[in-house]
């Protein structure tokens, strides 16, 4: 454990997006301005290309095998060449993480006639798809500040949609946490399962059948899984993906119904004047007016 006095001497790691981390220039290029580096920038290399290749490697191999040396080999340059554009591997991971958030489909928040429920479904569904498509993202979300342009656009859209629900201000962050922490957990588990199947060279259905078959062969698990089998049948769907989609849809609708219920509770507690305002933009409309 690091003593408190020593911790105070160790600077908190900065973000690639904060002042002092110039976009597109790493420490080697800064040194070059001062005459300590005379070589030219590597031809055909820029931060966007480095980020794109980083994402491809992370998708294929995960963060454990990701390194500056591995990335440089993929790009066909020396590892030191990368330092023209970034200071550390953390910078690359931050850039890749923000680029992934650019894949989230953000609804048009200027459309005042849009239903907040549809916008919330769109954001939640797209966020889940991103977490599954890029299984390495979820462990990094809590590691970095996530203040890049795409991450901030996603956060702004989430907050705007939650503001349209009509929840009282003190309840909006709770509603946000309920929906998007659920999506984060659901997408993380799904993404890991999909990757596990890929690593095993099996489809999701093949992997599931083999796993359940192995469990059912063990007497000590049979009783516990009898109820699970009944629940599995009740879920419906012919494939693992279909069953999972039913679960996600139902859970999301449950959360939306909960938001509507809490919204009505807030309005009832506030008195008749707020109930009268519950017109087209209220519980039965798009939620843009309180």
């Amino acid at each position: 454990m690091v003593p408190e006095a020593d911790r105070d001497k160790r600077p908190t790691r900065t973000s690639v997006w904060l002042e002092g981390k110039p976009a597109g220039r790493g420490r080697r290029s800064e040194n070059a301005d001062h005459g300590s580096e005379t070589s030219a920038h590597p031809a055909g290399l820029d931060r966007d290309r480095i980020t794109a290749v980083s994402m491809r490697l992370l998708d294929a191999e995960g963060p454990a095998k990701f390194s500056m040396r591995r990335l440089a080999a993929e790009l066909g340059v020396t590892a030191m060449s990368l330092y023209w554009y970034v200071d550390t591997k953390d910078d690359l991971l931050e850039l890749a993480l923000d680029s992934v958030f650019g894949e989230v489909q953000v609804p048009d928040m200027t459309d005042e006639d849009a239903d907040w429920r549809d916008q919330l479904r769109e954001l939640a569904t797209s966020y889940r798809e991103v977490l599954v498509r890029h299984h390495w993202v979820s462990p990094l979300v809590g590691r970095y500040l996530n203040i890049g342009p795409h991450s901030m656009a996603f956060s702004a859209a989430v907050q705007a949609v939650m503001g349209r629900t009509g929840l009282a201000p003190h309840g909006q962050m709770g509603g946000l946490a309920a929906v998007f922490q659920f999506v984060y957990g659901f997408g993380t588990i799904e993404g890991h399962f999909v990757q596990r199947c890929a690593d095993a060279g099996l489809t999701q259905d093949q992997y599931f059948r083999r796993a359940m078959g192995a469990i059912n062969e063990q007497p000590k698990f049979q009783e516990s899984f009898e109820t699970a089998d009944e629940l599995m049948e009740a879920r419906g769907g012919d494939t693992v993906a279909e069953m999972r989609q039913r679960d996600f849809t139902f859970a999301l609708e449950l959360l939306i119904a909960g938001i509507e219920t809490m919204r009505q509770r807030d309005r009832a507690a506030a008195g008749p004047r707020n109930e009268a305002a519950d017109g087209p933009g209220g519980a039965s409309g798009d939620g843009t007016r309180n």
Side-chain angles (χ1 to χ4, degrees), residues 189-209:
I189 293 172
E190 181 180 4
H192 289 176
F193 179 76
V194 170
Q195 187 61 38
R196 191 182 309 129
C197 295
D199 290 343
L202 300 171
T203 67
Q204 294 183 58
D205 296 317
Q206 289 171 335
Y207 188 98
F208 178 75
R209 284 194 296 268

Side-chain angles (χ1 to χ4, degrees), residues 96-174:
L97 180 61
D98 189 67
S99 186
V100 163
F101 271 96
E103 297 178 11
V104 179
Q105 297 298 310
V106 175
D108 180 7
M109 301 312 302
T110 65
D111 184 359
E112 296 185 356
D113 295 325
D115 191 313
W116 65 264
R117 300 162 189 79
D118 292 336
Q119 292 181 322
L120 191 59
R121 292 183 187 104
E122 181 179 352
L123 277 167
T125 298
S126 186
Y127 184 36
R128 170 199 171 195
E129 290 171 351
V130 164
L131 289 168
V132 174
R133 188 159 58 243
H134 305 288
H135 63 280
W136 50 272
V137 163
S138 55
L140 300 185
V141 167
R143 180 174 171 182
Y144 298 108
L145 293 177
N146 300 331
I147 54 174
H150 297 303
S151 296
M152 294 301 289
F154 171 67
S155 295
V158 166
Q159 292 180 48
V161 170
M162 200 55 60
R164 287 185 166 190
T165 63
L167 283 174
H170 68 267
Q172 289 179 20
M173 290 306 295

Side-chain angles (χ1 to χ4, degrees), residues 35-269:
S36 60
E37 179 67 61
T38 58
S39 61
H41 290 259
L45 201 62
D46 57 36
R47 182 173 273 188
D48 289 341
R49 185 183 172 208
I50 292 171
T51 301
V53 174
S54 296
M55 290 174 60
R56 189 169 73 237
L57 284 176
L58 288 163
D59 284 342
E61 302 175 359
K65 296 182 180 179
F66 183 76
S67 68
M68 300 291 266
R69 187 179 300 277
R70 177 72 182 87
L71 175 61
E74 190 72 13
L75 288 163
V77 300
T78 65
M80 289 304 294
S81 298
L82 299 176
Y83 291 105
W84 282 102
Y85 305 96
V86 293
D87 285 344
T88 65
K89 185 175 80 169
D90 279 318
D91 287 355
L92 285 173
L93 293 174
E94 267 196 288
L95 291 167
L97 180 61
D98 189 67
S99 186
V100 163
F101 271 96
E103 297 178 11
V104 179
Q105 297 298 310
V106 175
D108 180 7
M109 301 312 302
T110 65
D111 184 359
E112 296 185 356
D113 295 325
D115 191 313
W116 65 264
R117 300 162 189 79
D118 292 336
Q119 292 181 322
L120 191 59
R121 292 183 187 104
E122 181 179 352
L123 277 167
T125 298
S126 186
Y127 184 36
R128 170 199 171 195
E129 290 171 351
V130 164
L131 289 168
V132 174
R133 188 159 58 243
H134 305 288
H135 63 280
W136 50 272
V137 163
S138 55
L140 300 185
V141 167
R143 180 174 171 182
Y144 298 108
L145 293 177
N146 300 331
I147 54 174
H150 297 303
S151 296
M152 294 301 289
F154 171 67
S155 295
V158 166
Q159 292 180 48
V161 170
M162 200 55 60
R164 287 185 166 190
T165 63
L167 283 174
H170 68 267
Q172 289 179 20
M173 290 306 295
L176 186 154
V179 173
F180 288 94
Q181 288 187 24
F182 150 68
V183 177
Y184 173 84
F186 194 102
T188 296
I189 293 172
E190 181 180 4
H192 289 176
F193 179 76
V194 170
Q195 187 61 38
R196 191 182 309 129
C197 295
D199 290 343
L202 300 171
T203 67
Q204 294 183 58
D205 296 317
Q206 289 171 335
Y207 188 98
F208 178 75
R209 284 194 296 268
R210 290 192 185 186
M212 293 304 295
I215 290 172
N216 288 330
E217 289 175 359
Q218 301 295 318
K220 62 180 179 180
F221 293 125
Q222 286 180 357
E223 184 176 349
S224 299
F225 275 83
E226 283 180 3
T227 302
D229 289 340
E230 294 174 2
L231 290 174
M232 291 291 291
E233 291 181 9
R235 291 167 77 184
D238 295 328
T239 68
V240 170
E242 289 173 350
M243 288 188 290
R244 191 186 294 116
Q245 182 59 45
R246 286 174 181 266
D247 289 347
F248 180 83
T249 300
F250 184 86
L252 183 57
E253 292 305 313
L254 199 63
L255 290 168
I256 290 173
I259 290 173
E260 291 176 323
T261 298
M262 295 302 294
R263 180 181 188 277
Q264 292 299 330
R265 183 181 299 179
D266 288 344
R267 287 182 174 276

